[in-house]
Amino acid sequence: MSDYIHVSVAWPYANGDLHVGHLAGAYLPADIFARYHRLKGNRVLMVSGSDSHGTPISVEADKRGIPASQIFGRYHERFLQTQQKIGISYDLFTHTDTENHHRIAQDIFLLLLERGHLYKESQKLLYSEFEKRFLPDRYVEGECYVCNYPNARGDQCDNCGSLLDATQLINPRSRNHPEETLIVRETEHYFLALGKFTDQLLAYIDGHEAHWRANVVRFSRNFIAEGLRGRPITRDIDWGIRVPLDGWDEKRLYVWFEAVMGYLTASIEWAQHIGEPDAWKRWWYNPDARIYNFIGKDNIPFHAVIWPAELFGIDGIYNDGSANGNGANATPLQLPYDIPANEFMNIEGQQFSKSRNWAIWLPDLLERYQPDAIRYYVAATFPETRDADFDWDGFLSRVNNELVAAWGNLVNRMLGFAYKRYDGKVPSYTALADEDAALIAQVEAGFETVGALLEAVKLREALSTAMGLVRDANNYLSVQEPWKRIKEDPEAAARTVYTILRVIDNLKILLAPFLPFSSQQVHEYLGYDGQLFGAQQIVTIDEAAGAHQALTYDGSQAVGRWQISALQPGQALRQPGPLFVKLEPEIVDQERSALGQPREEQPIEV
RNA sequence: GGUGAUGUAGCUCAGCUGGUUAGAGCGCGAAACUCAUAAUUUCGAGGCCACUGGUUCAAGUCCAGUCAUCACCA
């Protein structure tokens, strides 16, 4: 029986290209995990999308003097192309400016209001009479009321380090129009009454402690222990989802309140898109389904505390006619089963910085390197337990010395040998020797060991375990020496070559979640037809008020299975070639010198 | 300032509830091999496990403090 696995991935702000931090923190781990479960035959629903709203997008739009919608539209399109190229296999990657997402977010707002989880409160905020709007903290500068530094930011003083309350700044001014002095004005907002959920949240964490990462448990408990206060969920901005109440036209839902709902809204959109509008309930109303949120560590409180609190508050939605007849309230929505948050991936020892362009952008990386080479290096250095470092020396050496030398070379040398010396076929043999059977058994055991590690989201260890089997295979070859035996003992050489091809056939599957493109190549070299995984496609989804683009996955034709090889002697091989490109040592200096330099965005070729 | 994390071979990292001579991959040195994108395989060198003090028959492993880095909160 197949399990229902929901893979929910953090929603990137669509205010700039994707970079390796995104890839290492959330998207690649999620994809490896999803591909593994698909191979296992489980029912996977993997969703995410561009976060269209939020201050970072408005800031970027103001900087360039264009509308926010244009910023997010541009980067949404680039996200689709980038992720298709590197093979992040979303069932649906959409965005939050869809009719579907707006409607559901508003429904949830009203539901929470109706159930008494929201309350109204006045706040004092800085208001610009010139712009006729309240300004977020990061739009504000002024004199620090702690140290009198004249150019303190709205949230923090760069001089004395104090965190500031923007309304207390001396002579606060807008960063956009420094000549204007801002005024403090009262404004009313809705708050989510988080504190009420404290006990439920603690019980929820207790119930999952055993299989959560220690950092997520500690962080969440700590966050709750500091006391859960109500959080404002509306803002005085014009870019975002309307508050569905009369007289609230000037305000919008706070981006963090609605973005996390994307896991649910994208699932619903996916169900509609495949023509089975209720299909999302197989995960969201199935107590046996497991929902995994793949995120970076900066998002832990939102996923381990705030989103579960929203789910507690929602309780049930769109589930009329459920089993016990109590309508929408009858069945609670499923909470995340696991939140495997990754730490950060730094670059050459320094923290990512967009403003200094201390970053490695995925579209640029994909211009120059194979997707599987990028995937291999990043997966081998996943920041699963602590911050990790992307350094070009490491990239060069892991790709050349591990991926190319150990795995690529194993495939190339033996498929080439078999193709040339055995008439383009898998050689026949009469009986396997003990050492042949031993190697096959050892590699077949990998389906258990590597599988268990993938299941537990220990992806880096899963990859290194699989690579250990690659080394075992190389070791076996140097003992058996089929290139020598083919002259002295052809029978022994034939069973050795058969054995190694069968082992490669197994390794191809063990590595496929990590290296889907090259595993497909190996699959074809071995003479098989069909695609190990489904097809990714960028499609247009129509709604009443407009259309949007999304990245989708169709697994109906996929033939890959997480099971041992039954490679048949006599099977016709295809002419093999090198799997991977070996990198030139010069790239290290070239890439390093580009860090921190101004960068131009190039069009992405798909 | 508070809380938490991290600090182990040149590099990247494993070391669970304390227990024989501290592990892996890469890099380095030597040897073997030649099917392969000179790739592979074997053997070897290399570590006061951040520092100081403590608990214990026994401590990278527990406790306290110090330093460095990072995160969250104030």
Side-chain angles (χ1 to χ4, degrees):
Chain A
M1 206 184 89
S2 53
D3 296 338
Y4 283 82
I5 306 290
H6 194 279
V7 180
S8 342
V9 195
W11 292 54
Y13 277 127
N15 71 333
D17 272 330
L18 295 175
H19 54 81
V20 291
H22 289 117
L23 189 69
Y27 309 132
L28 185 55
D31 181 64
I32 290 165
F33 189 74
R35 285 181 190 269
Y36 163 71
H37 278 290
R38 292 201 185 99
L39 290 170
K40 282 283 278 184
N42 291 329
R43 296 293 309 268
V44 173
L45 177 56
M46 173 167 165
V47 298
S48 184
S50 301
D51 193 339
S52 323
H53 307 127
T55 315
I57 291 168
S58 305
V59 169
E60 190 67 30
D62 289 352
K63 205 157 79 187
R64 302 194 198 182
I66 56 177
S69 61
Q70 215 169 311
I71 287 289
F72 113 77
R74 170 185 174 85
Y75 289 108
H76 176 62
E77 188 179 359
R78 290 174 70 85
F79 287 1
L80 298 175
Q81 296 162 338
T82 302
Q83 296 189 100
Q84 182 175 31
K85 275 180 93 170
I86 201 157
I88 310 298
S89 56
Y90 299 102
D91 290 278
L92 183 73
F93 185 91
T94 176
H95 63 67
T96 57
D97 197 29
T98 65
E99 224 175 294
N100 174 74
H101 182 78
H102 280 236
R103 190 192 71 246
I104 298 168
Q106 290 173 336
D107 283 356
I108 290 174
F109 175 88
L110 292 172
L111 200 63
L112 293 173
L113 186 62
E114 180 191 314
R115 294 190 179 154
H117 301 308
L118 305 183
Y119 62 93
K120 258 191 289 190
E121 205 171 277
S122 283
Q123 286 184 302
K124 286 184 177 156
L125 292 174
L126 289 170
Y127 183 82
S128 161
E129 290 183 308
F130 179 76
E131 293 185 58
K132 301 221 181 322
R133 61 168 181 159
F134 289 91
L135 293 182
D137 288 352
R138 54 206 294 177
Y139 279 67
V140 177
E141 283 179 353
E143 185 179 331
C144 176
Y145 52 85
V146 178
C147 73
N148 294 92
Y149 175 68
N151 298 315
R153 292 182 287 140
D155 53 345
Q156 187 170 21
C157 175
D158 287 331
N159 188 49
C160 69
S162 306
L163 291 176
L164 305 177
D165 175 353
T167 59
Q168 292 185 43
L169 285 174
I170 301 162
N171 296 321
R173 57 186 187 270
S174 162
R175 294 181 72 166
N176 296 344
H177 307 279
E179 66 285 355
E180 184 200 6
T181 299
L182 302 170
I183 58 166
V184 176
R185 194 187 260 198
E186 287 241 327
T187 177
E188 198 166 44
H189 283 293
Y190 275 98
F191 285 66
L192 175 65
L194 256 192
K196 295 201 306 186
F197 299 105
T198 302
D199 292 342
Q200 270 175 292
L201 287 166
L202 286 172
Y204 164 64
I205 294 169
D206 288 345
H208 291 80
E209 184 178 30
H211 59 267
W212 279 16
R213 290 183 181 171
N215 60 335
V216 179
V217 173
R218 258 192 310 264
F219 198 100
S220 310
R221 284 229 176 92
N222 201 9
F223 189 85
I224 295 171
E226 284 168 8
L228 294 175
R229 281 157 300 163
R231 293 180 79 94
I233 56 160
T234 55
R235 291 278 147 117
D236 290 291
I237 48 175
D238 57 8
W239 174 240
I241 297 176
R242 287 176 181 279
V243 180
L245 294 172
D246 288 342
W248 284 70
D249 295 345
E250 303 293 304
K251 300 177 196 269
R252 298 291 180 269
L253 297 180
Y254 176 43
V255 63
W256 261 110
F257 174 69
E258 49 97 353
V260 285
M261 296 173 193
Y263 301 137
L264 176 64
T265 68
S267 305
I268 293 173
E269 183 182 337
W270 165 82
Q272 273 156 2
H273 180 64
I274 64 159
E276 296 179 51
D278 280 336
W280 60 276
K281 295 179 183 175
R282 293 179 205 147
W283 288 269
W284 287 95
Y285 282 121
N286 173 2
D288 294 325
R290 300 204 300 276
I291 296 178
Y292 292 81
N293 290 351
F294 284 83
I295 59 168
K297 66 176 167 186
D298 49 331
N299 281 339
I300 291 173
F302 291 102
H303 290 79
V305 179
I306 295 172
W307 174 229
E310 289 180 24
L311 287 167
F312 284 132
I314 295 166
D315 203 10
I317 190 171
Y318 308 139
N319 201 27
D320 294 324
S322 63
N324 57 13
N326 288 331
N329 210 357
T331 325
L333 287 164
Q334 283 290 105
L335 296 158
Y337 171 80
D338 194 6
I339 306 169
N342 269 359
E343 308 283 308
F344 292 148
M345 180 168 261
N346 297 322
I347 295 153
E348 297 279 351
Q350 293 182 44
Q351 217 163 11
F352 163 83
S353 159
K354 188 179 173 188
S355 57
R356 290 191 301 122
N357 194 31
W358 196 264
I360 297 174
W361 303 100
L362 292 182
D364 302 353
L365 208 50
L366 284 161
E367 285 280 302
R368 299 193 277 280
Y369 308 105
Q370 294 175 295
D372 277 356
I374 301 166
R375 291 173 66 111
Y376 179 79
Y377 175 67
V378 171
T381 40
F382 270 152
E384 286 179 352
T385 50
R386 57 170 119 165
D387 286 358
D389 202 40
F390 187 115
D391 78 279
W392 285 104
D393 251 340
F395 181 74
L396 178 81
S397 95
R398 292 204 99 115
V399 170
N400 280 357
N401 301 327
E402 297 178 26
L403 185 63
V404 178
W407 171 231
N409 184 47
L410 173 68
V411 171
N412 185 242
R413 68 202 286 216
M414 278 300 112
L415 280 166
F417 190 76
Y419 190 80
K420 272 183 286 196
R421 307 302 288 270
Y422 293 92
D423 197 23
K425 293 188 181 122
V426 177
S428 301
Y429 60 93
T430 41
L432 293 181
D434 288 349
E435 56 268 31
D436 307 329
L439 179 69
I440 290 171
Q442 196 176 345
V443 173
E444 285 177 349
F447 285 88
E448 287 299 321
T449 54
V450 176
L453 290 165
L454 286 166
E455 196 109 11
V457 209
K458 294 181 176 174
L459 308 181
R460 203 176 50 192
E461 197 180 341
L463 177 58
S464 70
T465 302
M467 289 302 286
L469 296 173
V470 170
R471 275 186 292 276
D472 293 337
N474 277 320
N475 184 6
Y476 163 89
L477 274 182
S478 69
V479 175
Q480 301 302 321
E481 300 184 302
W483 47 89
K484 204 183 273 185
R485 281 198 178 159
I486 196 167
K487 298 166 198 155
E488 309 152 1
D489 186 354
E491 171 63 24
R495 60 174 170 73
T496 298
V497 174
Y498 169 78
T499 298
I500 206 72
L501 294 184
R502 186 155 136 188
V503 161
I504 288 171
D505 198 19
N506 281 312
L507 290 170
K508 150 200 107 182
I509 295 294
L510 295 178
L511 290 166
F514 301 94
L515 309 172
F517 297 97
S518 48
S519 281
Q520 177 63 32
Q521 188 71 260
V522 174
H523 183 68
E524 290 168 20
Y525 287 161
L526 282 168
Y528 294 106
D529 294 319
Q531 299 292 311
L532 292 176
F533 294 103
Q536 289 179 258
Q537 209 188 347
I538 295 174
V539 300
T540 301
I541 294 179
D542 290 312
E543 294 183 308
H548 62 275
Q549 293 210 301
L551 183 60
T552 60
Y553 177 86
D554 173 8
S556 60
Q557 305 300 311
V559 301
R561 294 288 174 268
W562 191 260
Q563 59 192 30
I564 61 174
S565 159
L567 184 68
Q568 295 302 307
Q571 176 159 304
L573 302 168
R574 294 195 175 87
Q575 182 157 17
L579 273 187
F580 305 108
V581 176
K582 189 168 174 174
L583 304 177
E584 299 298 332
E586 291 74 49
I587 67 154
V588 175
D589 286 340
Q590 287 164 8
E591 296 286 359
R592 276 183 182 155
S593 65
L595 278 174
Q597 300 300 314
R599 167 215 183 218
E600 295 236 339
E601 280 175 14
Q602 302 298 324
I604 299 171
E605 298 193 15
V606 181

